[in-house]
Amino acid sequence: DAGVIQSPRHEVTEMGQEVTLRCKPISGHDYLFWYRQTMMRGLELLIYFNNNVPIDDSGMPEDRFSAKMPNASFSTLKIQPSEPRDSAVYFCASSFLQGSGNTIYFGEGSWLTVV
Amino acid sequence: SQQGEEDPQALSIQEGENATMNCSYKTSINNLQWYRQNSGRGLVHLILIRSNEREKHSGRLRVTLDTSKKSSSLLITASRAADTASYFCATSQGAQKLVFGQGTRLTINP
């Protein structure tokens, strides 16, 4: 299995530009998560989906952020317009329900720098 | 807000020594997990302990859970240089939502 695949791995963009991060979860997983990691705030859960449906988006910072999952094998996280404080590593992760516990599999992250 | 808080924030030991990291959390949980993150990489699952378990082993890893104190510890025995990484605890409060702590940065000196 290829694992969770994220693109781009690195992106540098100017303030005000639109940023789209992409994710392909592990085949067969029915949960998909978007996390953001910064030195100041650690690892924050932004949103997660179950069977392509958003379940909890309470971690999405503001209206500039949006996430979609049009099918079981693809999700996007979009920032429009981007700001320097959005600079962070964005992780996509996936899992499947297994008993009383779920192991989350992370991608390698998308390193975003907004200048 | 963070549910788990790791202690210490950073730990530096000599190769071969044991490393112990602690995690405290605030609310009741279904399970607690530990993950490792190597520099510049994604997190990797290490071990899961359920709320009705007190201790679990996996290779050189030993995890304990004390639900009365809302705390957990991760012990890595006979540390190796390759164990250098950040270690995170994560708690599940239901559904599939995992909340991570701030992590402990472990450095193993050769």
Side-chain angles (χ1 to χ4, degrees), chain A residues 9 31 33 35 37 39-43 45 48 56 58 91 95-97 100-104 106-108 111, chain B residues 2 30-31 33 35 37 39-45 48 50 88 92 94-102 105:
Chain A
R9 287 296 316 278
Y31 285 86
F33 307 83
Y35 283 88
Q37 186 177 37
M39 288 295 292
M40 290 295 293
R41 300 176 67 88
L43 199 62
L45 176 63
Y48 77 94
D56 184 346
S58 59
F91 288 103
S95 73
F96 65 96
L97 183 61
S100 61
N102 59 303
T103 296
I104 292 185
F106 281 78
E108 295 287 56
W111 296 66
Chain B
Q2 300 296 332
N30 291 341
N31 64 69
Q33 303 181 41
Y35 286 75
Q37 183 180 31
S39 181
R41 308 294 297 275
L43 281 74
V44 175
H45 177 261
L48 178 152
R50 294 184 174 83
F88 296 85
S92 171
Q96 296 297 304
K97 186 173 179 176
L98 275 187
V99 180
F100 287 82
Q102 293 279 21
R105 184 173 298 178

Side-chain angles (χ1 to χ4, degrees), chain B residues 53-101:
Chain B
E53 297 177 311
R54 292 297 168 258
E55 187 172 312
K56 202 162 184 179
H57 297 256
S58 176
R60 293 185 296 113
L61 305 180
R62 172 178 169 252
V63 170
T64 62
L65 179 64
D66 187 335
T67 53
S68 66
K69 296 181 179 178
K70 292 186 168 60
S71 67
S72 173
S73 68
L74 170 67
L75 169 67
I76 304 175
T77 61
S79 63
R80 305 167 182 170
D83 295 329
T84 293
S86 291
Y87 292 82
F88 296 85
C89 68
T91 53
S92 171
Q93 300 166 279
Q96 296 297 304
K97 186 173 179 176
L98 275 187
V99 180
F100 287 82

